Structure formats: structure tokens, C-alpha cells
Amino acid sequence: MSEITQLSPTAVWHFFDQICSIPHPSKYEEQLAQYIVSFAQAEGLDVRRDNTGNVIIKKPATAGMENRKGVVLQAHIDMVPQKNEDTVHDFTQDPILPFIDGEWVTATGTTLGADNGMGMATCLAILAAKDIEHGPLEVLLTIDEETGMTGAFGLGAGWLEGDILLNTDSEQEGEVYMGCAGGVDVALTIDIQREAIPAEHQPIKLVVKGLKGGHSGCDIHTGRGNANKIMARFLVGHANELDLRINNFTGGSLRNALPREASVVATLPAANIDKLNALFAEYQQIVSAELGHVETDITLFTEACAQPNDVMVLTDQTRLMHTLNVCPNGVIRMSDDIEGVVETSLNMGVITTETNTVTILCLIRSLIDSGRSYVEGMLQSLATITGAQCVSSGAYPGWKPDADSEIMQVFRDTYQQMYGNKPNIMVIHAGLECGLFKEPYPEMDMLSFGPTIKFPHSPDEKVKIDTVQMFWDQMLAILKNIPVKK
């Protein structure tokens, strides 16, 4: 048990502490899923796993509430595994180490997993509670949300009986969401050939690090840098004059996280190393001048490395550099309908180098299907020009706002009674699972809300302590005020 178990509401923080103690990165959440199943069985609750691995738990209504509409509380089990470079941590084996930092809870050198661990902990606390008023209740905990929404894609009709779904995966107290962006992954693959390292070349490693990173939906409009784009820009500008030859380009770690770091293993004539260092230092000043108000800790440096076995053929290297440099990235268009909301964006998230290929993994998000298709077409055109392969996968729909949502009216009225002001009703550019749930459950009324979480998908992730109490209080009030089923 850590110090966070002393915070209020105690039950929520107790479960969140338990969640932190059990490794659960995407694709490795089975241990936590088994813990949840065992917990539900010990509580005497009806618990099932669907064919995809989602966990579904049912709790009967409290006395006198049996006639209310059924409610599904929903969260996802997995978390994004990101750590600082100097942090030794195996997300598949090691626990997350949360601690209190003033008004916030954060983690030691890693993502905290408040996204969506706080929502999951709240669901479990409600299942365990014996003194909460609620109608028929179900909890849906999906798997593998962060790397492809596998659980949401796999959820079939007939598993849920509820009329209302409360998604707990939003990250700003005082905001309630009634719509979200859809998305699609696009992989650009460039074939490369290799050749022997030129005579008298010395190995060198170029590194970009220290960027804030963050969520490619929530933070795409904040002006944060993309380490992949920063590195590509330097290479296009100076590789030829330095006679720099690339062996390996690596950048980013998740397609839905803004790339914080990128590195290139290369060779160049020994006589050009001092010039490289001077140009890289000058380039850091340029980038810092452009991004410094946002990226306060950006660092560019070179370091010694082992001699690679080979380098890319120069024509392939040139093609790669220019493809990376011209590839769209960031906000493509702001919404005309919803002020301040991004309509369409692209995150050039991950670059990996293999022996004969370099793959650029991008995530496109859009509130409208045509916007998503437009950017897909841009990448397909880029692939045609550069001779790359372009493959789209994992497309998921957006969640269209429902102006007549009954549960939104309940939330708005309840929030105003509690705090004297109305919540901000929003559409989020990030992807929520609600859009996928609408396919097997088209009549289900949905909204999404949660406590304040800053910098999700990065090691700076933190959750504001007092908003967890507010989230809990709001959840209990909403459950108490669910309408009667007609």
C-alpha cells in the first residue's frame, strides 16, 4: 500500500493503488483482468468474460431502485507504457509507483495509468459499496483500448442490458463529452537497400529528446514538438553537406502518443564531426526559439556509438529523409461547428528501421469520416510519389453528438445543483470507445466524464486529487437520479 490510500474517497484510491501494483500495459492486462474477476466473485457478483476478453460485471439494483433505467459504467483495463529514458522499468513485470505531489498524484519516472485507472477504480469502488443508491448496474471493462480498441471492436450485441452508458475515460473535471473523433492507423513502408560504410567514416548517434510528448488527440493542438519531424528536418537540411550516411532511424514508441524522442545511427567522415556538432547545436537554438515557450527542456546532442554493419544506399536514404520531412503532422483542420475543437489531425507517431524497410506509423483522427478519408488520401499520394507502400488498418468510427440525450440532461441538471454552474458540454478530438459501442447498441444513451488528468500518455501524467472526490460525488448523484424506465 502506498501513501495514496490515505486520500479521499478512500475506496477509489484503495482500488487505484491495487491497480498500480499489478502490471497492465496494453496487450499485457490479463493479470489485472483476473484480479478483477476474483474481486467480483468474492463480492458475489455475476461476472463474465466475452470472447474478446472484456470483463462484464452485474450488480442488482438497491431496494426501491429496481424500476430505474439500467446503467453501464465503462472503463478500459490497459494503460499506456511510457517512461523516462533514465528510468529502469519493465511495464510487464514492475508495479507503477504512485506518490502525492502537492495537489496531484503522479508516478516515479513512468506513466501513472490514471488514464483509465481512475475510472476503473471508481467502477470497482461502486461495485464494492453497500451504501450507494443505484438502479440495475453493469460494469464493462474493455481490453487493449490504447493500442487499437480491441475490446470495444470485439464487444458483441447481447452482452449488455443497460439503457445508459457512462464512459469514465475523459480527463477534465467540469467537462462532459457527448461526441468524439474517429480514427485510422496508416503505415507507410519504404523499402531500402544497404551498402558498405564508406572508407574513413566514423559512427555517430544523433539524439533528440526532452520533449513533453502527450496524447495525440488531447494535446495535438498545444504546439508541442514531434521528435521525428525535428530529426527529419535536420537531416534534409544538412545530411548531404556532412556526407552523413544513415544506418538506423528510430523515433516515438506509440502511434497515439506525441513522439518525445528520436535517434539516428549514422556515419560520416571524421573531419566532419566537429561541423556536425556545431550545426546540431545551432539547430537546437533554432528549434528552441520556435518551440521554447512549450518545449522548455528540448535537447539535441550527438554521442559515440558502435560502428554499424552498413548504411542505406544513398538514393533510399534521400527518399526516406524527404518522405519524413514532407509527411503531414499535427492539426489539419479546426472544427467550424465546435469552437476550439480540432476537427482533423495526424500524428506521425513511430518510426522503426528493419534490415530492408523503414516503417512510419501514423494515426489520423477526425470528427467527420470525410476528413479522415482526406488525410488518408494525402498519405496515399505521398506513398505514390515516394514509392512507399501505404496500408490503413484499425479504422474506428466517431461518436456523433445526440442533442436529445436524456442522460446529458440529467448530468447537466445534477452538476448545476451540486456546484451552482453548468458543466461544459464538449466533443473531444481523442478517440473514445463510445463510437464503437454504438454499433452493437445503437439505442444506448451515452456520455463521458472523469477527473482532471494532465499529460496522459507521458511520464508527466498526473491526476488532480480534489477532482477525484468531485468525480466520485458526481457519479453517485447521477446514479441516484437515473430516470425511471418506461
Side-chain angles (χ1 to χ4, degrees):
M1 294 177 61
S2 71
E3 61 180 350
I4 68 171
T5 58
Q6 304 304 310
L7 297 171
S8 182
T10 306
V12 174
W13 288 106
H14 163 77
F15 279 111
F16 184 65
D17 189 60
Q18 286 291 111
I19 289 167
C20 288
S21 73
I22 302 171
H24 58 286
S26 301
K27 309 292 186 183
Y28 296 91
E29 59 265 66
E30 184 59 25
Q31 185 180 351
L32 181 53
Q34 289 295 336
Y35 162 80
I36 294 166
V37 169
S38 296
F39 152 77
Q41 290 172 339
E43 291 288 332
L45 300 171
D46 176 11
V47 57
R48 298 177 293 163
R49 305 285 298 274
D50 70 5
N51 296 334
T52 307
N54 300 316
V55 180
I56 300 156
I57 307 168
K58 294 189 177 183
K59 184 179 182 183
T62 54
M65 300 280 284
E66 295 87 352
N67 63 342
R68 303 300 178 96
K69 288 188 173 183
V71 173
V72 180
L73 305 181
Q74 191 268 321
H76 62 81
I77 300 174
D78 60 318
M79 66 171 285
V80 169
Q82 291 274 281
K83 67 183 183 69
N84 290 322
E85 189 176 39
D86 58 355
T87 298
V88 178
H89 188 93
D90 182 349
F91 283 95
T92 67
Q93 301 291 329
D94 301 332
I96 301 298
L97 302 176
F99 66 92
I100 299 171
D101 183 15
E103 298 178 335
W104 303 82
V105 167
T106 189
T108 306
T110 70
T111 37
L112 174 64
D115 170 17
N116 188 212
M118 291 308 314
M120 184 165 35
T122 300
C123 293
L124 298 180
I126 289 171
L127 289 174
K130 305 298 189 290
D131 57 351
I132 293 174
E133 295 180 80
H134 59 79
L137 198 63
E138 296 168 281
V139 168
L140 168 63
L141 303 176
T142 54
I143 64 163
D144 195 31
E145 188 268 353
E146 298 289 5
T147 60
M149 298 194 182
T150 304
F153 269 110
L155 181 68
W159 287 91
L160 302 176
E161 299 176 352
D163 307 287
I164 295 165
L165 185 139
L166 303 179
N167 172 279
T168 63
D169 199 15
S170 296
E171 293 157 358
Q172 181 61 52
E173 198 290 313
E175 296 179 353
V176 57
Y177 293 90
M178 60 183 299
C180 71
V184 65
D185 296 332
V186 179
L188 292 171
T189 302
I190 299 174
D191 293 331
I192 57 171
Q193 294 182 331
R194 295 182 177 272
E195 63 184 15
I197 297 170
E200 300 183 0
H201 269 222
Q202 299 295 316
I204 196 80
K205 186 175 184 180
L206 289 71
V207 179
V208 175
K209 65 181 298 184
L211 278 72
K212 284 187 168 64
H215 192 294
S216 69
C218 299
D219 300 317
I220 197 75
H221 65 291
T222 59
R224 298 181 185 183
N226 181 312
N228 294 330
K229 296 291 288 185
I230 290 171
M231 182 69 81
R233 177 180 168 187
F234 178 82
L235 294 174
V236 166
H238 300 291
N240 287 344
E241 68 176 293
L242 292 167
D243 192 17
L244 189 79
R245 301 298 300 276
I246 299 172
N247 166 266
N248 181 292
F249 191 126
T250 301
S253 58
L254 294 166
R255 97 271 191 255
N256 60 351
L258 304 180
R260 302 169 58 244
E261 300 175 355
S263 64
V264 167
V265 175
T267 69
L268 77 167
N272 288 347
I273 290 178
D274 288 343
K275 184 177 182 181
L276 166 63
N277 289 329
L279 286 171
F280 217 38
E282 179 182 344
Y283 182 55
Q284 167 150 359
Q285 293 179 355
I286 293 170
V287 174
S288 295
E290 293 175 355
L291 304 177
H293 289 294
V294 177
E295 298 290 3
T296 55
D297 297 319
I298 186 170
T299 304
L300 281 66
F301 61 91
T302 64
E303 63 184 15
C305 66
Q307 183 84 329
N309 294 325
D310 49 37
V311 293
M312 298 178 191
V313 169
L314 188 57
T315 53
D316 292 340
Q317 170 179 309
T318 301
R319 192 159 53 99
L320 170 64
M321 293 189 308
H322 286 281
T323 300
L324 294 173
N325 195 47
V326 78
C327 183
N329 180 74
V331 175
I332 304 298
R333 180 173 172 80
M334 298 297 291
S335 173
D336 292 330
D337 299 322
I338 310 167
E339 184 177 357
V341 173
V342 177
E343 180 182 275
T344 306
S345 73
L346 182 147
N347 180 48
M348 194 172 82
V350 184
I351 300 173
T352 54
T353 302
E354 304 294 340
T355 302
N356 298 312
T357 59
V358 177
T359 300
I360 308 160
L361 183 58
C362 303
L363 173 57
I364 301 170
R365 300 180 190 267
S366 186
L367 299 178
I368 56 176
D369 289 344
S370 61
R372 186 182 71 192
S373 298
Y374 167 59
V375 182
E376 274 190 275
M378 292 171 67
L379 294 182
Q380 289 165 357
S381 295
L382 177 60
T384 299
I385 293 170
T386 60
Q389 301 170 42
C390 182
V391 178
S392 299
S393 63
Y396 58 91
W399 166 28
K400 186 178 179 180
D402 178 7
D404 299 320
S405 168
E406 185 178 35
I407 188 58
M408 182 61 74
Q409 181 68 45
V410 170
F411 184 96
R412 183 174 58 189
D413 293 347
T414 301
Y415 192 95
Q416 187 165 17
Q417 291 169 9
M418 294 175 70
Y419 305 116
N421 58 279
K422 294 180 180 179
N424 294 320
I425 299 175
M426 308 282 288
V427 173
I428 192 170
H429 185 62
L432 294 172
E433 294 169 291
C434 298
L436 290 170
F437 299 148
K438 274 290 187 180
E439 294 192 349
Y441 302 96
E443 302 304 317
M444 193 174 283
D445 198 4
M446 302 181 184
L447 62 76
S448 177
F449 70 119
T452 297
I453 299 170
K454 295 296 186 184
F455 316 124
H457 298 194
S458 84
D460 298 321
E461 181 184 6
K462 58 184 181 179
V463 58
K464 198 163 188 290
I465 295 168
D466 62 344
T467 68
V468 176
Q469 181 69 61
M470 296 174 73
F471 176 53
W472 175 252
D473 293 341
Q474 292 160 22
M475 182 68 79
L476 300 193
I478 292 167
L479 291 177
K480 185 176 181 180
N481 289 310
I482 293 296
V484 171
K485 187 166 185 174
K486 297 177 182 178

